[in-house]
Amino acid sequence: MKRCELCDSLAQTHCESDQAILCSACDAYVHSANFLAAKHSRTLLCHVCQSHTPWIGTGPMLGATLSVCNSCINNSSCTDGKGIENDQIANDDDEIIANMMKTMMAVKTAMKTMKKIK
């Protein structure tokens, strides 16, 4: 499990410019320092396996959010070998992730149906 390089909390973002992984609070602190830091492009990390997601943002504060990588969405579990063990995820997070995965699967099914209709 990746940890914030400043405070050791669970990491949620990766800043390529700073070569740092940060939690949302430290990300907001670092990237609100000045207008140049706020321009840094940051990638959200997958809440399940801690790999990069397609979600990229800039600005002084990205905000706390749950993000999931394409591999976890497509397979309902990550297969890249970087995953974290289920017993390391808090019970509340397990429920949030399960609900998020159900929603993502429903959206994926709806998108397939829409493609067939067109």
Side-chain angles (χ1 to χ4, degrees):
M1 183 165 15
K2 294 180 183 176
R3 295 289 182 175
C4 176
E5 294 180 23
L6 297 179
C7 72
D8 205 39
S9 295
L10 184 63
Q12 294 179 325
T13 62
H14 175 258
C15 177
E16 184 67 31
S17 298
D18 293 328
Q19 290 292 303
I21 54 173
L22 304 166
C23 68
S24 59
C26 290
D27 177 73
Y29 175 76
V30 168
H31 291 99
S32 63
N34 58 55
F35 77 97
L36 290 174
K39 290 183 177 184
H40 289 180
S41 178
R42 279 107 66 210
T43 304
L44 294 177
L45 300 178
C46 179
H47 188 72
V48 178
C49 72
Q50 299 275 260
S51 64
H52 286 82
T53 68
W55 305 105
I56 298 173
T58 60
M61 183 175 175
L62 297 181
T65 186
L66 288 177
S67 55
V68 182
C69 69
N70 286 333
S71 181
C72 289
I73 291 170
N74 292 331
N75 300 320
S76 296
S77 66
C78 220
T79 58
D80 64 1
K82 298 178 187 173
I84 56 177
E85 298 299 323
N86 286 338
D87 59 351
Q88 292 177 325
I89 301 173
N91 289 336
D92 291 344
D93 288 349
D94 285 341
E95 187 175 331
I96 291 169
I97 292 168
N99 289 335
M100 185 186 316
M101 296 305 284
K102 287 178 189 175
T103 302
M104 291 294 202
M105 294 306 288
V107 168
K108 189 175 175 181
T109 302
M111 289 175 69
K112 284 181 182 178
T113 303
M114 289 173 55
K115 285 181 183 178
K116 288 179 184 178
I117 293 172
K118 290 182 180 183

